[in-house]
């Protein structure tokens, strides 16, 4: 079988490594991939947003199955285009991808179907949004409607900050068309949990829960990033909470999408906050999380391609999805300066060998004369599995210490909150 994966970060590397466990797969192409992915797949220099070029490649390379892993191509209708060519895919069509690509769509869906989330108001005119601020309670959260590389969410302690946020998004258009509308919502508090789920639109199987660490600095300080590390499972996510989420959030969401005429097939990501009033949805993503995937997929026992094909053929209910016990941790090694400006092209030195429980997922590097050099902010995800979270963390950090490039940094406290919750 020939497989095509669209995307080129750590998440795609984790998907590819997992897919390779299936002996039926003869070739995996990654568009565009990256320097490290090139060791596990044939990387093709086609941008993940160039839908016509992706379709052309798929048509001329006898692709039997495609995995569209990244948010932009999903929102741009990559799956719709491939379906039109008769190519089975894992990933939602564009109208279902709106659950991530439009926060207004997602909020309206939750309101209409009674799915717990923060109270909100949506605006398409900056004056109306600014007028609303005078009578609002603070802190509140201002969100650009569209995709903004994870930077379109601004937590505002007071009215002045909220005004500045609306001006940045709607008037200065810092995120382009993604700021045509804004959502202003109540600030919630509580532990955050990421739950990724396989769904074919009718059946939904949650994956092992996880915890992201979004801030750049130790102790959750500094700027927001794409994620500096993850652990799985998330100890805050108890069996009781999981059941409540299934009944009040997960199943109602896929039923709502079906009722709205946009059934969701693929990986649906629930960003949850466990508030004093119960679990609430902070955000939906229409794809695997990054770096959540780098801790969730290593714990998957069932063959990934088999699950993906069952999602596409809407036969997920006939499948039993199994997970390994134990835990996983991923520590991100980033370029000095990230998430602000950073230099690229630094030579990466990797350890000659790795313990069996450790995997390095490449996120932001490229090959230059056969050597790996940095090409992004988040460069590598060092993942490890273990019987316990402590074991996984120790292995991931030990391996991370053996990796070198100029300016490299990582958070030193990934998993500490989770450990405190487990070990007391
Ligand atoms: P998002 O890009 O939607 O995941 O938001 C980024 C981060 O902002 C989330 O992981 C939360 O930590 C925070 N956030 C978003 N919405 C809220 C909210 N209503 N209340 C508190 N924090 C929020
Ligand atoms: N780690 C958060 C995301 O993938 O959006």
């Amino acid at each position: 079988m020939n497989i095509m994966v669209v995307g080129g970060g750590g998440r795609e590397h984790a998907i590819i490594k997992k897919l390779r466990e299936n002996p039926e797969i003869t070739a995996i192409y990654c568009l565009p991939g990256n320097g490290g992915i090139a060791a596990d797949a044939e990387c093709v220099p086609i941008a993940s947003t160039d839908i016509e070029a992706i379709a052309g490649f798929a048509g001329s390379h006898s692709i039997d199955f495609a995995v569209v892993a990244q948010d932009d191509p999903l929102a741009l209708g990559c799956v719709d285009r491939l379906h039109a060519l008769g190519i089975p895919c894992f990933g939602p069509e564009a109208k279902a991808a709106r659950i991530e690509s439009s926060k207004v769509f997602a909020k309206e869906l939750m309101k209409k179907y009674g799915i717990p989330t923060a109270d909100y108001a949506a605006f398409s005119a900056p004056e109306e949004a600014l007028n609303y601020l005078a009578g609002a309670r603070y802190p509140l959260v201002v969100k650009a409607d569209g995709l903004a590389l994870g930077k379109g969410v601004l937590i505002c302690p007071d009215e002045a900050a909220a005004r500045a946020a609306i001006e940045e998004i709607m008037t200065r258009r810092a995120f382009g068309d993604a700021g045509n509308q804004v959502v202003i919502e109540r600030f919630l508090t509580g532990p955050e949990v990421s739950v990724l789920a396989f769904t074919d639109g009718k059946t939904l199987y949650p994956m092992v829960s996880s915890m992201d660490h979004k801030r750049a600095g130790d102790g959750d300080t500094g700027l927001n990033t794409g994620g500096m590390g993850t652990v799985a499972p998330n100890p805050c996510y108890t069996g009781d909470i999981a059941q409540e989420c299934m009944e009040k959030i997960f199943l109602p969401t896929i039923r709502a999408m079906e009722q709205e005429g946009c059934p969701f097939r693929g990986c649906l990501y629930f960003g949850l906050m466990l508030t004093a009033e119960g679990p609430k949805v902070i955000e939906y993503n229409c794809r695997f999380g990054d770096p959540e995937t780098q801790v969730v997929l290593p714990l998957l026992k069932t063959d990934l391609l088999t699950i993906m094909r069952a999602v596409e053929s809407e036969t997920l209910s006939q499948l039993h999805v199994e997970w390994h016990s134990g835990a996983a941790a991923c520590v991100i090694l980033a370029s000095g300066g990230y998430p602000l400006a950073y230099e690229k092209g630094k030579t990466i030195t990797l350890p000659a060998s790795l313990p069996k429980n450790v995997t390095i997922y490449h996120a932001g590097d490229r090959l230059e004369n056969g050597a790996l050099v940095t090409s992004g902010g988040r460069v590598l995800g060092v993942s490890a599995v273990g019987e316990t979270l402590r074991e996984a963390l120790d292995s991931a950090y030990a391996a991370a210490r053996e990796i070198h490039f100029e300016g490299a940094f990582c958070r030193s406290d990934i998993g500490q909150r989770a450990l405190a919750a487990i070990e007391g």
Side-chain angles (χ1 to χ4, degrees), residues 18-26 303-306 309:
K18 199 73 197 174
L19 285 172
R20 279 174 61 99
E21 292 174 11
N22 182 315
E24 273 181 74
I25 296 176
T26 40
D303 175 60
L304 180 58
L305 182 62
T306 305
R309 292 171 85 180

Side-chain angles (χ1 to χ4, degrees), residues 335-336 342-349 364-369 371-377 379 404-407:
S335 297
Y342 53 85
E343 290 178 13
K344 298 180 186 177
K346 307 293 182 194
T347 304
I348 302 171
T349 327
D365 62 13
R366 64 186 164 81
L367 286 167
E368 198 176 88
N369 305 320
L372 285 172
V373 299
T374 65
S375 65
V379 179
H404 305 283
F405 57 88
E406 194 189 317

Side-chain angles (χ1 to χ4, degrees), residues 99 109-110 115-116 192-199 204-207 209-210 214 237 245-246 248-255 257 264 266-273 280-289 292:
I99 200 162
L109 186 86
M110 288 186 271
I115 297 164
E192 286 185 57
V193 182
S194 305
V195 180
L196 285 57
F198 293 112
T199 177
L204 178 141
Y205 293 144
M207 302 183 213
S209 63
S210 55
K214 285 209 166 96
Y237 191 68
C245 289
M246 191 65 154
K248 295 188 178 155
I249 295 175
F250 304 161
L251 293 176
T253 300
I254 59 166
R255 288 188 197 123
M257 291 296 278
F264 190 100
C267 172
L268 186 52
Y269 168 128
F270 299 87
L272 306 171
M273 195 171 269
K280 296 195 180 192
V281 177
I282 289 285
E283 64 162 345
Y284 292 116
N285 289 327
C286 67
R287 38 123 193 129
F288 283 96
E292 284 88 344

Side-chain angles (χ1 to χ4, degrees), residues 1 26 53 68 76 82 139 142 154 227 237 255 271-272 284 325 340 347-348 353 373 393 400:
M1 274 189 88
T26 40
V68 182
L76 290 168
L82 294 170
V142 177
L154 299 159
Y237 191 68
R255 288 188 197 123
L272 306 171
Y284 292 116
S325 60
L340 298 174
T347 304
I348 302 171
S353 66
V373 299
L393 281 166

Side-chain angles (χ1 to χ4, degrees), residues 29-53:
Y29 299 98
C30 188
L31 287 58
N34 65 38
I37 291 177
D40 293 299
E42 188 172 322
C43 294
V44 182
I46 291 178
S48 59
T49 48
D50 190 345
I51 306 302
E52 278 316 303

